Amino acid sequence: MSYPEAIQYLESFINYEKILSYPYKESLKLERVKDFLVTIRNPQDSLRSLHVAGSKGKGSTCAFMAYVLKQAGYRVGLYTSPHLSDFRERIRILEPKGSGDFEGMISKKKLAGIVTKLKPAIERFHKKSKYGPLSFFEVYTTMAFTAFKEAKVDFAVLETGLGGRFDATNVVIPLVCALTPISYEHTQKLGNTLTEIAREKAGIIKGDRATVISAPQEAEAREVIRSRCFETGAKLYEVGRDILYEGRYDCFNIRGLFQEYPRLSVKLIGRHQMVNAAVAVGAIEALRYHHILIDEDPIKKGLTKTVWPGRLEILSRNPLVVLDGAQNAASAGVIRQAIKENFKYKRLILALGISNDKDIKGLCEGLKQIADEVVVTRADNPRATSPEVLARYFEGKPVHKTSSVKEAKRVSKNIARKEDLILVTGSLFVVGEFRDEDN
């Protein structure tokens, strides 16, 4: 198959990322993925994996882990979602000497080759599957496993898509599980309480072979994680109790499970990145339980060299343009804190677009506190909330409604003066489209 033919074939699968409402537990069937993987000889079983779930910071935490392992001389498979510009960003293979924003992104030729290879197996499976046809995310996850196996990666770092328990990535038996901060998100699907949401996330904890590293959690989520580890016999280590950190993101210390790491720094802006880095360091250290020792130097250099675009990323200056994805009230709180602590500006122009299944009220109310003027927009995605709906949450503020991210960018830059800051946030689809307009 050619690359365009491969894309056309992939787009024929149901893509829940573009569907607002669907029955969660009935639609995501882990048994379906497992059954299909058996037919292609379980490529995931050859991988030494680190598996990450949570509500905030999953991608950054995965990136920290992958870059540390790469700095230690390993070939690393990195599977994340969603993407900013090109869905090939989701499958990456980091080589020890690679570089760039999206280094190791699967090539068009390689992607087409894997689709060509898997298509006959998919077609045969669909004829007899008792769980129905595979979804886009399930197919793409199996493609990632196949790509990583063929590349003979030393490690695979995997980010869950939605939840964890039923997520297609949850077919692996990882060496280490990591849980980033859990907050209210996708409540229609994961549950209306933190206990219910945490139960879905903690579903990636399986068996006494794994070690679990958890970020600081709200009491309800922490109790679920501790109970799950007790039930499965997994070893649990918590940031804030077993792993400590102090300082600023540009100079901080971590006291890990085995040793201390002084004078660390990361390019990713915000004190929340210290939490993500501490989780990542804990996960890397936990590999010692599998006789894999990563020294202090690659940990230090790996954290410093980690690149993760679209997360408090400074896109340009004069005016200052900052990009960051956000999905709920907790995300809004993190952004408010990071903006206040790290940037100087006269007025803040908020460019905002949100997907329909996010915490629209919580996010808007949280960001309203720092916005002087608001540009509401929508991404080129069926799940995008209409600008008219978003505008209602900013009563009392000057609000500009735009029908596309391209228009929102033009309006934002027309409004902003040299000393102002434009914050582009909400859906990563909005962040990605805004970022692409500069490329």
Side-chain angles (χ1 to χ4, degrees):
M1 300 174 75
S2 65
Y3 178 70
E5 289 170 337
I7 294 301
Q8 185 176 20
Y9 181 66
L10 290 174
E11 289 177 346
S12 71
F13 296 94
I14 186 168
N15 189 344
Y16 291 114
E17 294 176 21
K18 297 183 177 180
I19 299 174
L20 175 59
S21 180
Y22 57 88
Y24 169 64
K25 293 179 182 178
E26 292 77 10
S27 302
L28 306 187
K29 293 286 187 182
L30 202 57
E31 296 89 347
R32 177 171 59 225
V33 184
K34 288 179 178 178
D35 281 0
F36 175 67
L37 287 166
V38 168
T39 70
I40 59 171
R41 299 185 179 181
N42 289 313
Q44 78 283 359
D45 288 350
S46 68
L47 305 176
R48 296 190 295 181
S49 59
L50 297 85
H51 199 191
V52 181
S55 301
K56 307 192 306 289
K58 289 183 296 181
S60 300
T61 302
C62 285
F64 283 137
M65 292 179 187
Y67 276 82
V68 167
L69 291 168
K70 157 190 154 73
Q71 194 64 37
Y74 294 108
R75 175 179 291 165
V76 187
L78 178 59
Y79 183 58
T80 58
S81 61
H83 58 273
L84 283 179
S85 305
D86 186 328
F87 75 94
R88 291 184 297 124
E89 296 165 20
R90 301 182 183 210
I91 300 176
R92 296 165 57 192
I93 296 172
L94 277 60
E95 302 284 357
K97 294 185 179 179
S99 63
D101 277 4
F102 296 112
E103 64 170 285
M105 183 169 69
I106 188 170
S107 68
K108 293 181 178 181
K109 181 178 180 180
K110 184 67 176 176
L111 184 144
I114 291 176
V115 173
T116 302
K117 179 179 179 179
L118 293 182
K119 183 179 178 181
I122 293 171
E123 301 302 317
R124 288 193 299 269
F125 176 75
H126 283 177
K127 289 179 181 178
K128 62 179 182 179
S129 172
K130 60 182 178 181
Y131 298 111
L134 296 162
S135 70
F136 169 85
F137 186 79
E138 290 165 346
V139 171
Y140 213 61
T141 301
T142 62
M143 289 173 58
F145 294 150
T146 302
F148 296 159
K149 180 181 179 180
E150 290 183 356
K152 297 180 180 178
V153 300
D154 299 299
F155 295 97
V157 179
L158 310 171
E159 176 188 1
T160 58
L162 177 64
R165 185 159 62 113
F166 299 121
D167 191 76
T169 60
N170 202 27
V171 296
V172 299
I173 305 297
L175 301 179
V176 182
C177 296
L179 291 160
T180 65
I182 295 170
S183 55
Y184 289 95
E185 59 157 339
H186 298 291
T187 52
Q188 318 95 305
K189 303 175 182 70
L190 303 181
N192 293 310
T193 67
L194 276 184
T195 296
E196 291 174 307
I197 294 169
R199 193 172 292 127
E200 295 300 317
K201 307 286 185 182
I204 69 169
I205 301 170
K206 302 180 294 295
D208 59 6
R209 183 175 175 230
T211 303
V212 180
I213 309 296
S214 175
Q217 305 287 356
E218 297 288 341
E220 303 98 306
R222 183 169 62 247
E223 182 56 36
V224 169
I225 294 167
R226 289 177 177 178
S227 296
R228 177 68 178 173
C229 289
F230 179 78
E231 291 167 7
T232 60
K235 296 186 288 286
L236 172 64
Y237 298 98
E238 297 174 339
V239 173
R241 184 188 67 175
D242 308 296
I243 302 165
L244 303 176
Y245 67 91
E246 62 177 2
R248 277 177 49 94
Y249 72 92
D250 53 357
C251 184
F252 62 101
N253 307 317
I254 291 177
R255 194 187 79 191
L257 301 176
F258 298 104
Q259 68 182 79
E260 295 187 6
Y261 303 89
R263 298 181 300 280
L264 302 171
S265 67
V266 296
K267 292 189 182 85
L268 309 188
I269 298 170
R271 67 170 62 185
H272 59 289
Q273 294 296 356
M274 289 190 291
V275 175
N276 297 333
V279 172
V281 168
I284 294 296
E285 283 192 309
L287 292 174
R288 292 194 191 196
Y289 296 119
H290 300 278
H291 311 292
I292 301 160
L293 174 62
I294 309 295
D295 293 329
E296 179 181 346
D297 188 60
I299 289 177
K300 191 170 187 176
K301 289 180 179 176
L303 293 179
T304 300
K305 293 185 177 183
T306 298
V307 178
W308 196 235
R311 280 70 175 184
L312 279 176
E313 177 186 10
I314 299 174
L315 185 66
S316 60
R317 298 182 185 273
N318 297 325
L320 186 61
V321 179
V322 178
L323 312 177
D324 194 34
Q327 60 182 345
N328 56 21
S331 300
V334 168
I335 290 177
R336 284 200 315 270
Q337 182 183 62
I339 292 292
K340 288 178 181 178
E341 291 181 349
N342 297 284
F343 299 103
K344 291 183 179 180
Y345 56 92
K346 188 170 182 180
R347 295 188 313 146
L348 188 142
I349 314 300
L350 175 66
L352 177 70
I354 312 173
S355 295
N356 254 314
D357 58 342
K358 303 301 183 184
D359 177 16
I360 298 171
K361 180 180 179 182
L363 184 57
C364 288
E365 290 181 351
L367 294 175
K368 184 178 181 180
Q369 299 176 34
I370 57 172
D372 293 293
E373 200 156 350
V374 182
V375 180
V376 288
T377 190
R378 61 178 300 148
D380 183 18
N381 186 296
R383 281 170 44 211
T385 304
S386 74
E388 288 73 20
V389 170
L390 296 180
R392 296 173 197 154
Y393 291 96
F394 294 94
E395 188 176 347
K397 301 277 185 182
V399 179
H400 308 264
K401 300 176 210 173
T402 63
S403 58
S404 69
V405 174
K406 183 175 183 178
E407 183 186 358
K409 183 167 188 175
R410 177 179 56 78
V411 171
S412 300
K413 291 207 165 182
N414 285 341
I415 294 169
R417 302 183 185 98
K418 192 165 73 169
E419 64 273 19
D420 294 339
L421 184 152
I422 299 173
L423 172 61
V424 184
T425 189
S427 164
L428 277 178
F429 295 112
V430 168
V431 170
E433 287 182 39
F434 199 104
R435 193 175 190 270
D436 283 349
E437 286 293 321
D438 262 27
N439 295 332

